[in-house]
Amino acid sequence: MNQAPYISASPSVTSIMLRVLLALVPGIAAYVWVYGSGVLVSLALASITALGSEAILLHFRQRPLMPFLMDGSALLTAWLLALALPPLAPWWLVVVGTLFAIVIAKQLYGGLGYNPFNPAMVGYAVLLISFPAIMTQWPVPLALAHAQLGFLDQLHFIFTQALPGGVTLDAISSATPLDYLKTQLKLQHSVGDILHAPVFGALGGRGFEVVAGAYLLGGLYLLQQRIISWHIPTAFLLTLAVLAAGSHLADPAQHAGAAFHLFSGASMLCAFFIATDPVSGPTTPRGKLLFATGVALLTWLIRSYGGYPDGVAFAVLLMNICVPLIDAATQPRVFGHE
Amino acid sequence: MMTALLVMIGLALLLGIVLGYSALKFKVEGDPLVDKIDAILPQTQCGQCGFPGCKPYATAIAHGEADINQCPPGGEPGMRALADLLGVEPKPLNAECGTPKPKSVAVIVENLCIGCTLCIQACPVDAILGAAKQMHTVIASECTGCELCLPPCPVDCISMVPIPEKVDNWKWRYPVIEIKSLAV
Amino acid sequence: MSLFKFHGGVHPPEHKLKSTAAPIRSVTMPLRLVLPLRQHVGNVAKLMVAVGDHVLKGQLLAAPDGMISAAVHAPTSGTIAAIEERLIPHASGLPDLCITLNADGEDRWGDHQPLDYQAQEKSAVLDALRLAGVVGLGGATFPSHVKLRADDAHPVLTLIINGAECEPYITCDDLLMRERALEIVRGIEIMQYLLGAKHAIIGIEDNKPEAAAAMRLACSQNSISITVATVPTLYPGGGAKQLIKVLTGLEVPSGKLPTTIGVQCFNVATAYTVHRFIDHGEPVISRVVTVTGRVAQPGNYEVPLGMEIFDLVQAAGGTADDSNGLVMGGPMMGFNLPSGHVPVVKGTNCIIASAPALFAPQPPAMPCIRCARCAEVCPVNLQPQELYWFARADNFEKARSYDLFDCIECGCCSYVCPSRIPLVQYYRYAKSEILASDKARQAANVARERNELRLARIAREKEERAAKHAERAVGARAEAGGDAKQAAIAAAMARAEAQKAEIVPQNVTDLSPLVATEIKAIDARRGKVDDRD
Amino acid sequence: MLESYILILLGTVFVNNIVLVKILGLCPFMGVSKKLEASIGMGAATTFVLTIGSGSSYLINQYLLGPDLFYLRTLSFIVVIAGIVQFTEIVVEKTSPVLYQLLGIYLPLITTNCAVLGIPLLNVQGNHNFMQSLLFGFGGSVGFSLVLVLFASMRERMEAADVPGPFKGSAIAMVTAGLMSLAFMGFAGLIR
């Protein structure tokens, strides 16, 4: 028998997750347009691994399979991870990362709703630390590449790491814009000079800025659907922009500007899809602002001074650690309390 | 060699003096922990823990001479509260001390009572009224359900009656999450 | 007038039109009425009649017991058939003591007169109200005479009359305001006089324009100044604290009464019953109940208290075939009736014949994903997801520290939960566990005190006896010649000693000196007790 | 000058966090992180012991032992730290009996906390001067306290999580500590 309230008005968990997946579609489409359809292979690999490993673990934990497989959260983790990885990453990289995300970061903590860390970012950080070379080897956008790989070539490359005759690895891959900037800065070049390199576009990396724009589009859809609140994206983008613009003003030779930071790396993905993960994030409005500000600050610090080209994954994980304290410290005033 | 010895002896002396002074300066009077533990115990004074009352048991716990799982009336929640206070791992209740029972009160079957006053003397909270050769009765609201009045009664006229669930002591149940029972 | 906002709130579909089409209808007096002694918050009323007594309509059947309690009256004339435990409309589904009254069909009033309330001391009027069984009819059923007692420390400036009726389906206050506005205003006038309030505001949600118009008209015909304020429709805007906030901008401090901020709040139906009693001498023996949902003739009915809900539903044309149960109250805060065979009580504002088409079966709950939608809609600005987290793990102290007891159980959080978690049930569970353990703690404190007093008394008696013994011993020595008696006593004591020695105490090895002394002290006290006999 | 001190402080707190990066002092990290309250107390006690210990170890090493008696270093450090721990224990017992009970065995065990001995030895190794030693000790212990408190707050929340049976308690805490360590690797390279 039901108990009060007898009525309900809310999208189910599944429909929320599906809408987030839907919001990723423009980003994926842009990805395919810029880098070719190889990313679809990664997405498929990650999805299959995520659902498969989730099913096995649910089975071992004697939990019902269907409601948890259908909730879409595993799929979302898989997609976010696949989109964060280099598009032509070898198949085993995708599988290992997804397995780590689902098994260690999610199911060991009890599955949906219990993971204190963002699973996709755990998977990403593990891969970044374990396989730094592969993780920073990004394909050159199709528009710039000296050699074009078709879908079958990309598929072949993902599974065998073998290239068609006459094409060298250097012809199709290069460092990411963030990585390139970092190495060039170390070589005493100034930002102004570095940004003239062909990998850079108007805003961020050439080609990649389109993907980032598509993520922004998807994020706006999520905001409009009220799936996510404005707090995290706004605070994240604003803080990152202010830090980047401020440092760029102070020392234009050493620091890239706001637009570059916002449209490079995983900034947009993080602002709307990663940092907004409700399970591993804070719940209070002020907590969300604090959390996103922290993520942005750490991201910028790691990008500008740290040892890794992009800091989103670490920044999110570091702030995930602080979430319980942030929540406790930002409890809003309860009705009738001082 | 000599210097090394001297150095170590000097160090030890210095530390000894500091510690000795602070031990005097910060001397702890009494044991505030006993009261904290006693506040958790249910005060049935039933003695099932093996100690002659709640306070002695609290004292024993505070000094590490008794385990936290010897109080059946406090039950699982009481043990957890103790574990929480003392920062130790919760452990299952010690079955030797008895098992938790639904809260009950003693009721004297009044036509059997011979007025011997033995139960009155046994009651740790003076919840039984009566005089010699007069029928006794239990003040239900004061009875802790310790059962200490049962053994002395020569005519077995006292029984423990569980407190029934009424509208005013009824509790909302833990909601059942159906998802676990849902088969695939 | 300017209005204020409270945090959160939801807009559930109203479903009110169904039951507002027809005016308030009356029902035929049933042959048998069942009157629970507990129809209000506070102490159970004291029985004033016995089985077999013949009573008149309006006669006092049970008197209030103590300050926070309310009387029960006979809704019609007849004979007391039984006084026994019967099923009552309560969420527990447990039986409680009820008076069964067999109607004699005459419906003959007992002696009843209007009360010239201005000619009497206010306290006398309030005592009369106490005996009239007036309680808050909005659903909380708190005895009204307690709230109407003016307190010098906290004078009431503003009297707020709650006509918001924010819950879906329920329309009994709406209809009452439309049809009996003058009477309600008269009740407000009396209440305002008793409280000494400067002004009164009637809060009505803007989905009830007819009611608001009727009340405005009635107010304009009355000499005292009453403001009729339409407030935006937003559930739970009819909660007393929420309505006070909306109308005055003041928040009732947590755990305090509204009087601390100079406000007192009553339901419109309560004002109506105050008028009935003061101006006609009629105690609370009937109320308006909305019967809606899957019934043939949804609407509002004036029902004598004690009428079986099943009969009431029959009077409304009976339930449709797909109806699978009865809900008392609204869809947000109501509860399932254990059976149709329970009486209408003072708190019965609405009966909904539920059906799967009306209230879809609740899907299994998923884990909480901490989306905080619940926190967005919580009218008290709590963090429902945290409270749920603590309640689920029986972490009650933590739940309490996150202000669990400020929760008004309005159900907004469950209403918007994507995981369909029965959040309110968790809070109710945690609250009743905490209350029970608080009660147990109080009982333990009393027991500890009594135990300590007893030990002290025993020690004192022992001392006194010792003193007496010493006196007697002095006298005995002077007398001499009691050797035989002395020997007998000595022998008996030796026997007792031997017996005592056989009892081996447990757990006394490896004791610290402190425990040892404690035990020794207790043994000593015991020794004194043993000595006594 | 000031800048270098701040860098030492930030470096020891975040980049070279004694628990998550240097993997020292894991015993109290796992042991006293079940309750937030206890972890704060432990953090405060350790900070006190470590800062004083780090400073006095420097003084002893520099002025009492010198290069001749270097072989007494570990021994005398342990003696001094043990003394400070004893002193802390007495003070804590007096001021907060509940905290004393909560910290339990871990309070005297600060003595054998490898972080507490590790920091003075790292000071010697790094040729730190007195001020640097103090800051190094303080920074190290603040880093310890920080992650201890964060870890405790996470564990308190995980208490109610539906963790699979075999991983309940210490196992999932270990996993969490590992993932925290993973996150802290993000600081690598920020400050040498």
Side-chain angles (χ1 to χ4, degrees), chain B residues 29-123:
Chain B
E29 301 283 350
D31 199 340
L33 196 62
V34 173
D35 285 336
K36 284 207 158 61
I37 297 173
D38 195 41
I40 290 173
L41 297 177
Q43 303 303 323
T44 45
Q45 318 291 352
C46 62
Q48 289 183 74
C49 49
F51 294 91
C54 294
K55 188 81 178 248
Y57 179 43
T59 317
I61 294 178
H63 293 86
E65 285 141 5
D67 223 330
I68 56 167
N69 62 351
Q70 299 178 1
C71 180
E76 186 85 13
M79 180 277 298
R80 285 191 174 280
L82 286 176
D84 214 36
L85 174 74
L86 303 173
V88 294
E89 284 294 326
K91 51 179 83 174
L93 289 179
N94 187 345
E96 283 172 32
C97 299
T99 44
K101 295 175 200 164
K103 192 158 166 38
S104 308
V105 289
V107 171
I108 295 177
V109 181
E110 297 184 339
N111 51 11
L112 290 182
C113 175
I114 54 170
C116 66
T117 76
L118 287 176
C119 57
I120 296 183
Q121 292 155 36
C123 181

Side-chain angles (χ1 to χ4, degrees), chain C residues 180-193:
Chain C
R180 301 177 192 175
L182 275 174
E183 287 93 330
I184 293 171
V185 170
R186 173 71 185 143
I188 297 172
E189 191 184 340
I190 297 164
M191 287 177 160
Q192 197 173 348
Y193 165 78

Side-chain angles (χ1 to χ4, degrees), chain C residues 370 389 392 398, chain D residues 156-157 160-161:
Chain C
R370 301 174 55 77
W389 193 259
R392 200 177 64 91
K398 226 27 201 272
Chain D
E156 273 198 356
R157 178 168 282 182

Side-chain angles (χ1 to χ4, degrees), chain D residues 25-28 78 81-82 85 105-118:
Chain D
L26 282 184
C27 171
I78 289 176
I81 289 163
V85 169
I105 188 68
Y106 293 101
L107 190 52
L109 276 186
I110 295 179
T111 316
T112 54
N113 181 344
C114 41
V116 178
L117 186 61

Side-chain angles (χ1 to χ4, degrees), chain A residues 260-281:
Chain A
F260 178 78
H261 272 286
L262 293 184
F263 284 87
S264 295
S267 300
M268 284 295 168
L269 197 61
C270 173
F272 295 100
F273 297 92
I274 296 170
T276 52
D277 170 34
V279 177
S280 57

Side-chain angles (χ1 to χ4, degrees), chain A residues 181 184-186 188-192 194 247-248 250-257 261 303-305:
Chain A
L181 179 74
Q184 293 298 312
L185 278 174
K186 277 204 191 116
Q188 306 296 324
H189 296 288
S190 82
V191 169
I194 299 167
S247 58
H248 182 66
D251 188 358
Q254 285 297 312
H255 294 281
H261 272 286
R303 278 183 184 177
S304 303
Y305 300 103

Side-chain angles (χ1 to χ4, degrees), chain C residues 118-450:
Chain C
Q118 275 161 321
Q120 296 192 22
E121 288 273 325
K122 279 185 184 172
S123 65
V125 179
L126 290 166
D127 288 343
L129 271 172
R130 176 167 171 260
L131 286 173
V134 178
V135 300
L137 293 184
T141 63
F142 188 84
S144 298
H145 66 92
V146 184
K147 284 165 76 182
L148 282 169
R149 212 166 283 268
D151 179 2
D152 291 338
H154 300 292
V156 172
L157 298 174
T158 314
L159 171 64
I160 286 180
I161 300 298
N162 189 343
E165 203 166 51
C166 58
E167 268 226 44
Y169 290 92
I170 310 178
T171 57
C172 57
D173 290 349
D174 186 4
L175 267 280
L176 196 74
M177 286 189 286
R178 289 189 202 186
E179 299 185 12
R180 301 177 192 175
L182 275 174
E183 287 93 330
I184 293 171
V185 170
R186 173 71 185 143
I188 297 172
E189 191 184 340
I190 297 164
M191 287 177 160
Q192 197 173 348
Y193 165 78
L194 289 173
L195 282 170
K198 293 260 183 316
H199 54 282
I201 310 171
I202 307 173
I204 303 172
E205 281 193 346
D206 57 14
N207 59 355
K208 289 180 268 294
E210 298 92 341
M215 292 305 292
R216 282 214 176 86
L217 187 69
C219 289
S220 67
Q221 291 167 13
N222 195 290
S223 54
I224 61 160
S225 79
I226 304 176
T227 320
V228 178
T230 41
V231 300
T233 302
L234 178 65
Y235 179 85
K241 290 181 173 182
Q242 278 65 37
L243 187 66
I244 291 171
K245 166 93 192 203
V246 168
L247 291 177
T248 66
L250 299 171
E251 285 185 9
V252 180
S254 169
K256 298 265 172 56
L257 295 173
T259 47
T260 49
I261 52 167
V263 178
Q264 193 62 286
C265 184
F266 291 95
N267 185 268
V268 283
T270 315
Y272 176 73
T273 57
V274 168
H275 151 73
R276 291 306 296 178
F277 175 68
I278 298 286
D279 292 336
H280 302 277
E282 294 174 11
V284 182
I285 52 172
S286 70
R287 70 156 296 146
V288 178
V289 180
T290 307
V291 184
T292 183
R294 307 290 287 168
V295 291
Q297 297 155 25
N300 285 279
Y301 296 84
E302 174 132 34
V303 187
L305 297 179
M307 182 177 184
E308 203 167 79
I309 285 171
F310 181 77
D311 292 343
L312 173 61
V313 172
Q314 288 307 312
T319 54
D321 292 339
D322 63 342
S323 174
N324 60 352
L326 295 170
V327 170
M328 180 170 133
M332 296 297 286
M333 292 184 75
F335 59 90
N336 297 312
L337 287 174
S339 133
H341 302 285
V342 292
V344 167
V345 292
K346 290 175 183 174
T348 311
N349 49 2
C350 182
I351 300 293
I352 305 174
S354 64
L358 220 55
F359 303 149
Q362 276 156 356
M366 294 286 284
C368 169
I369 55 165
R370 301 174 55 77
C371 64
R373 277 161 191 259
C374 46
E376 279 167 29
V377 297
C378 180
V380 194
N381 211 0
L382 293 166
Q383 295 291 303
Q385 78 282 1
E386 304 282 358
L387 291 176
Y388 158 69
W389 193 259
F390 297 133
R392 200 177 64 91
D394 286 0
N395 196 345
F396 298 130
E397 274 319 300
K398 226 27 201 272
R400 196 204 293 250
S401 75
Y402 274 68
D403 302 310
L404 172 67
F405 279 91
D406 283 295
C407 168
I408 57 169
E409 301 175 17
C410 63
C412 287
C413 47
S414 311
Y415 179 71
V416 298
C417 180
S419 293
R420 305 283 195 269
I421 301 168
L423 292 163
V424 179
Q425 314 307 323
Y426 280 97
Y427 308 148
R428 287 180 170 157
Y429 158 74
K431 279 184 187 177
S432 65
E433 286 296 325
I434 292 174
L435 290 178
S437 83
D438 278 1
K439 230 175 178 179
R441 179 116 343 277
Q442 262 170 24
N445 287 341
V446 171
R448 181 186 299 115
E449 214 169 276
R450 288 179 72 92

